[in-house]
Amino acid sequence: MSLLNLTPHTIKVMTHYGELYEFEPSGTVARVSTTSKVLDQNVCPGFTVNVTEYGNVEGIPAAGTKQFLVSAMVLDRLGSEYSGWAFAPDTGSSAVRNDKGHVDYVVQLKTVPQPF
């Protein structure tokens, strides 16, 4: 199995056959561009509060050219043309965690929903 890992971390995935795959970082990290805007100081007096606006995804292959792994945040910003091409580790309740609560490996991947 070959997936291009576009995150800065090794991603471990256990197949339903019990095989553990480790996907090392490729050196390219896919990101979502962001801009932050500080709100009026009266929103929560005494604290600086901002809102983040999310922009375009950067650092990914064109849809249909190469299957790849990204963060859930990046995956959530991709269009349906990436369904079955872009994946993120499912770190929800099915993930296997160590004694500190960190994900050791996942048993499921997520992809972009297909259009209805």
Side-chain angles (χ1 to χ4, degrees):
M1 177 182 288
S2 176
L3 293 172
L4 180 66
N5 182 354
L6 299 177
T7 76
H9 311 287
T10 300
I11 295 177
K12 298 178 189 177
V13 184
M14 179 77 70
T15 70
H16 54 271
Y17 300 113
E19 299 168 298
L20 185 65
Y21 284 86
E22 292 189 28
F23 299 96
E24 297 296 328
S26 66
T28 299
V29 178
R31 301 249 184 233
V32 176
S33 65
T34 61
T35 55
S36 293
K37 177 183 172 187
V38 175
L39 298 179
D40 183 293
Q41 291 186 356
N42 293 325
V43 171
C44 189
F47 297 94
T48 300
V49 178
N50 70 38
V51 293
T52 302
E53 295 178 355
Y54 298 96
N56 296 323
V57 173
E58 303 163 351
I60 59 169
T65 60
K66 175 81 175 159
Q67 290 181 313
F68 56 92
L69 291 162
V70 293
S71 68
M73 177 186 259
V74 170
L75 189 73
D76 288 345
R77 300 287 305 164
L78 296 176
S80 61
E81 68 272 20
Y82 283 95
S83 182
W85 290 95
F87 303 93
D90 185 346
T91 58
S93 61
S94 66
V96 176
R97 298 177 180 274
N98 64 22
D99 59 349
K100 294 182 179 180
H102 301 131
V103 174
D104 188 23
Y105 62 89
V106 298
V107 297
Q108 299 181 122
L109 297 174
K110 302 187 292 187
T111 193
V112 180
Q114 294 181 350
F116 293 99

